[in-house]
Amino acid sequence: MKKALLTLLVLCVAFVGFAQNQPQDKSKRPSPPAQAMGKVNGKTITIDYSQPSVKGRDVWDKSGKIAPYGQVWRTGANEATTFETSGDLKVEGKKLPAGKYGLFTIPGEKEWTIIFNKTAQQWGAYEYKQTDDVLRVTVPARKAPQMTEKFTINVANSGTVSMAWANTLVDFKVK
């Protein structure tokens, strides 16, 4: 019991120390904040995320260090990525009500699962709960035409949301 309490105390102190060492100005972080916006059929889509860089690493590393295949990923860095829509949408043909969601993904070599979770505000995916998922869709992943150093999300007015990082490109359709 004492060992468990000591371990918990050490973890709490480490987390507080980590949080205190994060720059107050988010633009100074190693993975700075970014925003993708677009209008699809008169509805505004806003995606807030942070942009990790490849920095010569294997970002889809199976060891679990960055964004491993087959595991829930925060879809960026720092706080979980958020997806907000001003009106009801269809994502890959499935209904997504207006609102703000945590946007998580499960990367894979050939396909990705795109997850809209009702818990929008959280750090990373550490508190992610599948029971809070509002919608999941699966889309193909493909080799990008060029390497993308910083993780980038784009929302096209045509309704295509694109995510690019390293040599991978993933799109999903919104109507």
Side-chain angles (χ1 to χ4, degrees), residues 34-50:
Q35 186 177 74
M37 288 184 71
K39 278 198 178 277
V40 177
N41 297 328
K43 295 163 187 142
T44 301
I45 295 171
T46 306
I47 303 172
D48 289 302
Y49 65 105
S50 293

Side-chain angles (χ1 to χ4, degrees), residues 77-106:
N78 305 318
E79 296 86 0
T81 293
T82 60
F83 181 102
E84 187 169 8
T85 173
S86 64
D88 294 352
L89 299 172
K90 286 199 173 184
V91 177
E92 293 293 318
K94 295 181 180 180
K95 186 176 179 182
L96 181 69
K100 187 171 187 176
Y101 302 95
L103 178 65
F104 296 92
T105 51
I106 301 174

Side-chain angles (χ1 to χ4, degrees), residues 101-145:
Y101 302 95
L103 178 65
F104 296 92
T105 51
I106 301 174
E109 289 183 60
K110 296 182 181 175
E111 63 184 22
W112 282 30
T113 300
I114 311 297
I115 303 167
F116 298 87
N117 185 277
K118 67 182 179 183
T119 307
Q121 303 299 323
Q122 58 181 293
W123 184 266
Y126 302 106
E127 299 294 319
Y128 166 82
K129 293 181 183 106
Q130 185 172 347
T131 56
D132 289 342
D133 290 353
V134 174
L135 176 65
R136 281 181 169 221
V137 297
T138 302
V139 295
R142 65 183 191 276
K143 184 169 174 48

